[in-house]
Amino acid sequence: MLLNVQDLVSRRAQITLKESVDVTEAYRDVRDVKPLGPLTAELTAAYSGGLIDVSGTLDCKLQFQCSRCLDPIEEAWRVPFHAIFKVVSKERLDKDRLDEEDSEDEDILSIKDEPLELLPYIEEELMLSMPLAPICKDDCKGLCPECGQNRNAKECGCDREKTDLRFDALKDWFGSNN
């Protein structure tokens, strides 16, 4: 997804970008997540005061795996996107990398290339928005730790009230004080 920076600067008006992108390769090494279609990005780019402001939404249908019961979860994922870019010369970009600790504008991304490739920034935002431990429903019971049965489908009947053998002597002591 390319943004022609010179065209944006010369127009002095917003540019609307809408594109569908295959993100299968971006999720190749991500465990338990699979894209079920292309990512659709609807973005607007505006130039003002030497900065390029790109914002919009990213839509993608993803399949996650429930972290409790391991069932697949299909979700339509909508992520807001916002990034600010500043075009700098190559010398300035190299100097900024050396002086990163002195930078006041941490949220402004310095770029040097024309045109601006937005896909890496889009993929990064999509990755950062994913849940750490997705669950299929709030009351998901998960898998039985003894037999592995999905407890959402049916109860297995395993005895889950295990006591630590080291505390058996204390159980008798507490029983005599009642």
Side-chain angles (χ1 to χ4, degrees), residues 21-24 35-39 60-61:
V21 182
D22 183 20
V23 290
T24 307
L36 298 176
L39 170 125
C60 187
K61 190 165 187 174

Side-chain angles (χ1 to χ4, degrees), residues 16-32:
T16 302
L17 303 167
K18 183 174 181 179
E19 192 172 327
S20 290
V21 182
D22 183 20
V23 290
T24 307
E25 189 62 29
Y27 284 97
R28 183 174 41 110
D29 296 330
V30 179
R31 205 175 101 196
D32 303 333

Side-chain angles (χ1 to χ4, degrees), residues 84-126:
I84 301 173
F85 301 93
K86 182 176 185 176
V87 179
V88 296
S89 66
K90 182 174 179 0
E91 295 81 27
R92 173 70 191 240
L93 187 63
D94 292 338
K95 183 182 180 298
D96 284 349
R97 286 191 181 138
L98 295 173
D99 300 331
E100 281 182 356
E101 62 274 356
D102 297 334
S103 177
E104 296 173 11
D105 300 321
E106 293 176 0
D107 295 333
I108 298 176
L109 303 164
S110 297
I111 58 168
K112 66 173 173 66
D113 294 329
E114 169 72 33
L116 171 60
E117 175 59 70
L118 293 171
L119 187 58
Y121 303 103
I122 290 170
E123 289 175 346
E124 178 182 21
E125 189 67 36
L126 192 63

Side-chain angles (χ1 to χ4, degrees), residues 49-166:
L51 300 175
I52 301 166
D53 190 332
V54 181
S55 61
T57 57
L58 310 173
D59 292 303
C60 187
K61 190 165 187 174
L62 298 173
Q63 180 179 13
F64 299 102
Q65 188 175 30
C66 179
S67 60
R68 292 182 187 167
C69 68
L70 305 180
D71 281 347
I73 310 165
E74 291 184 11
E75 282 193 41
W77 208 248
R78 175 167 269 213
V79 178
F81 179 82
H82 185 247
I84 301 173
F85 301 93
K86 182 176 185 176
V87 179
V88 296
S89 66
K90 182 174 179 0
E91 295 81 27
R92 173 70 191 240
L93 187 63
D94 292 338
K95 183 182 180 298
D96 284 349
R97 286 191 181 138
L98 295 173
D99 300 331
E100 281 182 356
E101 62 274 356
D102 297 334
S103 177
E104 296 173 11
D105 300 321
E106 293 176 0
D107 295 333
I108 298 176
L109 303 164
S110 297
I111 58 168
K112 66 173 173 66
D113 294 329
E114 169 72 33
L116 171 60
E117 175 59 70
L118 293 171
L119 187 58
Y121 303 103
I122 290 170
E123 289 175 346
E124 178 182 21
E125 189 67 36
L126 192 63
M127 290 281 193
L128 291 173
S129 71
M130 291 186 329
L132 237 37
I135 55 172
C136 58
K137 54 187 178 183
D138 288 337
D139 61 342
C140 179
K141 297 177 183 176
L143 300 176
C144 173
E146 295 298 314
C147 67
Q149 170 70 37
N150 185 343
R151 296 187 302 180
N152 294 319
K154 73 173 196 173
E155 285 295 328
C156 58
C158 292
D159 181 25
R160 286 187 294 277
E161 282 214 27
K162 300 238 185 229
T163 57
D164 193 335
L165 297 176
R166 297 175 289 183

